[in-house]
Amino acid sequence: MTNLVTLEDLRAAQKRIAGTAVRTPLLPSLHGAADRPLWLKPESLQPIGAFKIRGAYNAIAALTDAERSRGVVAHSSGNHAQAVAYAARLFGARAVIVMPDTTPRIKIDATRALGAEVVMVTPDRRDSAAAELAEEHGYAFVPPYDDARIIAGQGTAGLEIIEDLPTADTVLVPVSGGGLISGIAAAVKLTSPHTKVIGVEPELAADAAESFRTGVRTTWTTGQTYRTIADGLRTTSVGVLPFAHIQAYVDDIVTVSEDQIREAMRFLARRARLVAEPAGAVATAAYLFRADVLPAGRAHVAVVSGGNVDPALFAEVPAG
């Protein structure tokens, strides 16, 4: 049986990351529906612009001094890359990041600026290349999602949501590899069992939604998932450990269209004054456009998971 993260794991991670990850506020939106008040959890305000700092710092802090001294390696399309680079720099550890060659330039440049060595590969090579580097050089591997330390770290956002809004009826969370929704769902259900946790994916990268419906982890091809504008959600399948958490704690996974993602980015920029990358806007898109499939209830929380958007895209979308 898979061991799920416990409330004790989540509380320990919360203490570990305090002072490094920002305790982001829960922002009430004046532009939510009157019968469905909306709160936004702006993880875009983290030091590296996304929630990933929570899990990356928790995982690297849990390594021994000897492990950190050999350096760390990770693979990422951008936000986990920056988080690992940032956390490694705080510990004085070398960071090597494998990134797909489709990654937006802004994320590559930001990762390098944090002192990491970046290795560019084709999308289908990012997992295997990171594993090869870890074996060859003895680097400690810091996974983007399929790891209990990562899940517990990301789950601290869920603890904060319930601490700030105990009456939350529904929490909407983006889904990619599953680390964020796993941690948040565990934190929410272990502290507020009545609250519904709903995952949100692009229609064009809906492997997790399919897995949820069938009860079997499903893998999509990179050719399928790389069609979506949401570059942070192009993982081809949820991780093994995240899927166990999803089955245990998540109430549903819904999908949104590319146009809905763009419109949610506009909404966040114009109405909430928040910069959101496409992946960071999908939860808000579900609130705006998928009310028909969301649970009944008043207080809705949408996690804005990141704001590291390509400047050209951001200039185009809010004006569209």
Side-chain angles (χ1 to χ4, degrees):
M1 180 178 177
T2 303
N3 292 323
L4 306 182
V5 298
T6 65
L7 187 56
E8 290 72 23
D9 295 329
L10 292 156
R11 297 288 189 206
Q14 189 174 41
K15 291 179 181 178
R16 193 175 286 127
I17 71 170
T20 299
V22 173
R23 193 189 197 286
T24 54
L26 205 56
L27 304 176
S29 172
L30 296 178
H31 302 281
D35 61 338
R36 295 187 303 126
L38 172 65
W39 279 261
L40 300 169
K41 180 69 168 170
E43 287 295 290
S44 51
L45 301 182
Q46 290 293 347
I48 53 89
F51 74 93
K52 290 283 193 176
I53 186 60
R54 296 175 181 270
Y57 187 85
N58 191 53
I60 293 175
L63 297 174
T64 66
D65 291 340
E67 288 172 327
R68 283 194 295 266
S69 70
R70 293 194 294 272
V72 299
V73 66
H75 61 78
S76 169
S77 62
N79 288 335
H80 182 61
Q82 293 172 72
V84 170
Y86 182 85
R89 187 173 71 173
L90 292 177
F91 284 103
R94 180 184 185 187
V96 179
I97 312 296
V98 176
M99 304 184 79
D101 54 18
T102 53
T103 301
R105 174 56 57 180
I106 186 175
K107 295 183 178 182
I108 298 170
D109 292 344
T111 303
R112 286 182 171 139
L114 289 166
E117 175 188 343
V118 174
V119 177
M120 304 300 299
V121 298
T122 56
D124 60 312
R125 278 273 298 145
R126 72 183 216 176
D127 292 30
S128 58
E132 290 164 8
L133 287 167
E135 182 175 356
E136 181 180 354
H137 299 284
Y139 300 143
F141 180 47
V142 183
Y145 48 83
D146 207 348
D147 184 279
R149 301 163 301 174
I150 297 291
I151 291 171
Q154 319 303 27
T156 59
L159 293 178
E160 294 170 10
I161 288 170
I162 299 304
E163 288 167 1
D164 290 349
L165 190 68
T167 58
D169 291 310
T170 302
V171 179
L172 302 165
V173 189
V175 185
S176 182
L180 180 63
I181 193 168
S182 296
I184 287 182
V188 168
K189 291 298 187 180
L190 292 172
T191 57
S192 180
H194 74 277
T195 303
K196 302 295 185 182
V197 179
I198 309 297
V200 188
E201 273 189 314
E203 291 175 354
L204 298 183
D207 56 280
E210 181 178 334
S211 300
F212 185 84
R213 299 278 182 270
T214 63
V216 179
R217 270 181 74 241
T218 301
T219 299
W220 284 27
T221 66
T222 55
Q224 291 174 299
T225 62
Y226 273 67
R227 296 172 298 166
T228 180
I229 188 178
D231 59 279
L233 304 181
R234 291 171 175 166
T235 303
T236 56
S237 67
V238 295
V240 174
L241 188 55
F243 189 53
H245 285 76
I246 288 170
Q247 291 182 302
Y249 296 126
V250 173
D251 294 286
D252 198 3
I253 298 178
V254 304
T255 60
V256 291
S257 71
E258 299 296 289
D259 286 343
Q260 290 167 349
I261 294 170
R262 290 174 184 270
E263 189 57 41
M265 292 175 68
R266 295 187 187 104
F267 173 89
L268 290 166
R270 294 173 177 176
R271 303 294 182 89
R273 295 159 299 282
L274 289 173
V275 174
E277 61 189 280
V282 296
T284 304
Y287 170 85
L288 292 172
F289 300 108
R290 300 306 313 275
D292 59 318
V293 295
L294 295 182
R298 288 185 54 79
H300 285 63
V301 176
V303 177
V304 182
S305 57
N308 294 318
V309 60
D310 178 75
L313 175 62
F314 186 68
E316 165 202 333
V317 170

